Amino acid sequence: MYPRVDRQLVLFLAALLVVVLAAVVHRRTRAAGQEGLGASVVAVVVSPLQQGLTGASRRIGGAFGIFREIRTLYAENRRLRGEVDRLRQRVNTLEEQGRENVRLREMLRFREGLPRHGENALAATVIGVKPTNWYNAVTIDRGTADGVRERNMVLTPRGLVGQVRVATPHTATVLLITDLHSGVGGRIQRTGWTGVVKGTASDRLEMVYLPEEAAVRPGDRVVTSGQGSVFQVKGIMIGTVEQVRLDRNTSTRSAVVRPAVDVRRLEEVFVLTE
Amino acid sequence: MSFQRPTLHARLPVVGAALVLALALQTTVLNAVAIGEVKPDLVLVVAICVGLLAGPGAGAVCGAAAGLLEGYAQGLHLGSLGVSRTVAAFVAGTVETHLMRDKVVVPAATVLMGSLVAHVVYFVLAPELPIARPLRIAVVESLYNMLLTPPVYLALARWGFIYRR
């Protein structure tokens, strides 16, 4: 009886011998141009399994193909979403340019309608808004180098915006008509009654010092009167009367005026330089 | 604690079926799960697992059968494949006798090592193959074989080589 390890070794050597013999026979058979018994047996035994497994794997592959398709669709969806975003951005840009175009045309027409055909009307862009809550003002990109001076009138085609408070070489700070420190000579366009339009630090103005007998009613348009040292141009739209009050102590009337210009959304303005 | 190994011939039909099934799977389904064009060698995994479960002698016989199966199916390198699988399964069986029995880690590590041994022997015996590409293939395939080991080993242990204590 061989010891256990020897038996293992004998098996190993026997297996190696079989392999070597099989390899020699295989080589000779192939050299003779024949396929050989071993290959035929393996083919006969394995091929039915291969056929079954191949069919099954193709069916399973088809099922996995759906997942691959989903992945492809997902990737395509992501790509298309990106393209939609880019196109949406492009549309936004074009719409913005269109709006700007309309605005500039409107400003051009307005400028032509100004006294002296707007020779002294300088176009400016609002580049900043009020830095604090206590001061209703904007900054424009024109300054003393462009001829802007303090107290110049600032307006848009829709109406009055305010006056230049501080001018630096290349920028200027415009005090808006809504600011508490602002006062404009105003006139009720329909009846000609005049008063002073003051800022209230809100989105409404107040027209004061109207005589008690002044004919004013909601809906009346208020324009600049040309009186006073600041706003000397007549007929610039200020706003529309919303409400009329009577102050019995002073026997005067006052009116709440909605500004013609939404000063919170200013983009381009004109500065009337002198 | 002692146990008696079942003789290989007692489980010959199971081992034969496992090898044939492994070859069929390897030539069909496993192509679909190739990693970087490298698929696992399931036949080699079965041979090494048999070596682990039934001992070096039985492993050598199974390795020889595995190599011949693959060689006949491939039509090339019959001797190289046969010898390399025989040596790998024999070595795996020999190593197993010196290691703690385990159901996952030791078989997986042994299959990794056995696969590398098989590749080394194969390339020594088939020197016409360029070394650079086979080296990468050998490493990836050995790792892949290692991953496949637990289910193969457990299936063979469950249905092929139940130890009697």
Side-chain angles (χ1 to χ4, degrees):
Chain A
M1 189 79 179
Y2 290 108
R4 187 179 178 82
V5 68
D6 290 346
R7 184 172 165 273
Q8 305 293 335
L9 199 58
V10 166
L11 274 173
F12 172 62
L13 293 174
L16 274 184
L17 186 64
V18 169
V19 167
V20 171
L21 287 174
V24 170
V25 171
H26 181 69
R27 183 178 284 264
R28 287 192 174 179
T29 317
R30 283 183 67 87
Q34 296 169 352
E35 190 52 47
L37 184 64
S40 301
V41 169
V42 169
V44 166
V45 172
V46 177
S47 60
L49 273 174
Q50 284 176 318
Q51 285 173 3
L53 286 168
T54 301
S57 70
R58 282 184 184 151
R59 281 192 291 277
I60 293 169
F64 277 106
I66 293 171
F67 292 107
R68 278 198 295 274
E69 187 71 15
I70 289 172
R71 280 183 61 189
T72 308
L73 287 173
Y74 180 73
E76 191 172 10
N77 185 264
R78 281 187 65 185
R79 185 180 61 77
L80 289 173
R81 276 174 188 270
E83 199 167 322
V84 165
D85 287 344
R86 280 194 299 279
L87 289 173
R88 199 171 280 163
Q89 182 64 37
R90 176 89 179 128
V91 167
N92 284 343
T93 306
L94 289 173
E95 282 181 354
E96 187 60 30
Q97 286 173 350
R99 278 196 292 271
E100 187 179 7
N101 196 4
V102 169
R103 221 165 40 235
L104 293 174
R105 282 173 184 274
E106 195 179 348
M107 289 183 75
L108 196 61
R109 278 198 301 274
F110 171 72
R111 182 177 171 171
E112 292 296 318
L114 286 171
R116 291 158 52 191
H117 297 286
E119 283 174 2
N120 62 335
L122 181 70
T125 303
V126 174
I127 57 172
V129 294
K130 55 175 183 170
T132 69
N133 292 317
W134 312 109
Y135 197 50
N136 285 358
V138 294
T139 305
I140 58 174
D141 63 346
R142 300 285 191 172
T144 52
D146 305 295
V148 176
R149 299 289 179 267
E150 288 180 16
R151 302 166 79 91
N152 278 167
M153 199 168 167
V154 179
L155 60 160
T156 72
R158 289 180 178 275
L160 188 64
V161 170
Q163 64 167 308
V164 174
R165 175 54 69 92
V166 178
T168 65
H170 300 291
T171 62
T173 301
V174 177
L175 183 70
L176 301 174
I177 54 172
T178 53
D179 188 84
L180 277 174
H181 305 86
S182 172
V184 188
R187 181 168 58 88
I188 302 295
Q189 196 176 44
R190 184 175 62 85
T191 58
W193 290 99
T194 58
V196 175
V197 181
K198 297 170 65 175
T200 60
S202 69
D203 58 351
R204 292 293 183 268
L205 308 172
E206 187 177 20
M207 188 171 184
V208 295
Y209 307 134
L210 285 166
E212 189 176 1
E213 65 275 21
V216 185
R217 67 186 182 207
D220 279 346
R221 291 153 67 97
V222 182
V223 296
T224 54
S225 63
Q227 297 170 354
S229 59
V230 181
F231 300 100
Q232 293 175 343
V233 180
K234 283 184 182 178
I236 301 295
M237 181 69 177
I238 295 175
T240 308
V241 174
E242 275 193 341
Q243 192 182 345
V244 182
R245 302 191 196 110
L246 175 64
D247 186 347
R248 298 200 182 279
N249 296 327
T250 58
S251 297
T252 58
R253 285 179 181 273
S254 64
V256 175
V257 177
R258 181 162 56 85
V261 178
D262 184 353
V263 294
R264 294 166 303 184
R265 296 193 302 171
L266 287 172
E267 290 179 51
E268 286 96 17
V269 295
F270 281 117
V271 182
L272 294 187
T273 59
E274 290 296 340
Chain B
M1 188 169 67
S2 65
F3 59 87
Q4 183 183 352
R5 290 180 191 279
T7 53
L8 181 61
H9 60 79
R11 299 292 178 184
L12 212 53
V14 177
V15 175
L19 286 174
V20 170
L21 181 64
L23 181 65
L25 284 168
Q26 193 170 309
T27 52
T28 54
V29 180
L30 292 184
N31 286 310
V33 292
I35 299 175
E37 299 180 6
V38 178
K39 60 183 178 181
D41 192 334
L42 198 58
V43 180
L44 177 60
V45 175
V46 169
I48 294 174
C49 287
V50 169
L52 275 169
L53 288 163
V61 173
C62 187
L68 291 178
L69 266 178
E70 287 186 307
Y72 281 127
Q74 184 175 277
L76 275 175
H77 301 142
L78 186 75
S80 306
L81 283 167
V83 172
S84 62
R85 271 65 184 151
T86 305
V87 172
F90 178 78
V91 170
T94 309
V95 168
E96 189 272 339
T97 57
H98 296 96
L99 289 174
M100 185 183 70
R101 193 170 302 281
D102 176 88
K103 283 185 178 176
V104 178
V105 179
V106 170
T110 309
V111 166
L112 174 65
M113 181 208 66
S115 298
L116 290 171
V117 167
H119 281 110
V120 169
V121 175
Y122 178 71
F123 290 120
V124 166
L125 295 174
E128 75 273 17
L129 291 169
I131 194 67
R133 186 172 138 76
L135 189 65
R136 186 181 66 84
I137 291 174
V139 172
V140 176
E141 189 202 293
S142 300
L143 290 169
Y144 212 157
N145 289 349
M146 183 183 75
L147 293 177
L148 283 184
T149 302
V152 173
Y153 182 84
L154 291 173
L156 284 171
R158 173 73 180 81
W159 293 301
F161 298 91
I162 303 167
Y163 291 106
R164 288 168 291 182
R165 292 172 187 276

